[in-house]
Amino acid sequence: VEQSPERNYHVLTRAVDASVVVVYRRCNVDPTMSIAQLANAARQSARDVSARRAVIDMRGNGGGDSSLLLPVIAALRELSALRAQGAIRVLTNAGTQSSALLNAYSLRQDFGATVVGEIAGTALNHFGEVRQLTLPSGRRMTYSS
């Protein structure tokens, strides 16, 4: 799958095997593309190739906001061919951590996705959903919610 480390996420299509690939490198909004635009691009790309498979590539995704991926999944699930058990595949490696791991687990549990690749870099019972707080001193800190 194409690597594009400067972008948080993007969509690729593979007409040869009727697949749409969502490369999801960071669970954070990308300044060049909103999540709504990503969801629309994934939906349209899947329609363009009459997708029978969706791949969510989460390799190297260190996490962020796990709710960010939900509109993308909803857009893909609108297509009946992608509702079949195993039609969604999730790629992981040791760099798949935190919210990305939560997303992979949810995709497996809720949508029957097949998770493929290396063991993720964190355990499922880790602290997650990082938030930021500005202290009275003006210093910013992060904490797990």
Side-chain angles (χ1 to χ4, degrees):
V1 173
E2 174 186 317
Q3 302 295 316
S4 186
E6 69 279 357
R7 296 175 67 189
N8 291 358
Y9 41 74
H10 61 281
V11 175
L12 305 168
T13 55
R14 293 175 35 101
V16 68
D17 62 358
S19 295
V20 61
V21 179
V22 176
V23 180
Y24 193 57
R25 293 285 173 253
R26 291 174 200 89
C27 302
N28 296 305
V29 175
D30 191 305
T32 65
M33 178 186 277
S34 72
I35 285 297
Q37 289 171 315
L38 177 66
N40 289 334
R43 181 187 305 109
Q44 188 58 51
S45 294
R47 285 184 178 142
D48 290 347
V49 296
S50 299
R52 294 187 309 267
R53 178 180 308 114
V55 177
I56 314 293
D57 183 354
M58 293 190 185
R59 293 175 296 171
N61 187 327
D65 179 354
S66 60
S67 68
L68 207 59
L69 190 61
L70 297 178
V72 177
I73 299 306
L76 292 174
R77 298 295 288 183
E78 289 175 11
L79 306 169
S80 61
L82 298 180
R83 289 188 211 126
Q85 184 79 11
I88 297 177
R89 309 245 169 98
V90 180
L91 305 180
T92 63
N93 68 4
T96 307
Q97 301 181 12
S98 192
S99 289
L101 178 60
L102 294 175
N103 285 147
Y105 181 75
S106 292
L107 285 162
R108 190 178 123 221
Q109 291 299 109
D110 300 338
F111 301 108
T114 302
V115 180
V116 186
E118 299 173 358
I119 295 172
T122 54
L124 278 174
N125 63 351
H126 73 284
F127 292 102
E129 296 303 321
V130 176
R131 306 228 189 265
Q132 291 189 349
L133 171 70
T134 302
L135 299 171
S137 65
R139 296 188 77 169
R140 293 176 59 129
M141 63 175 274
T142 59
Y143 65 96
S144 176
S145 63

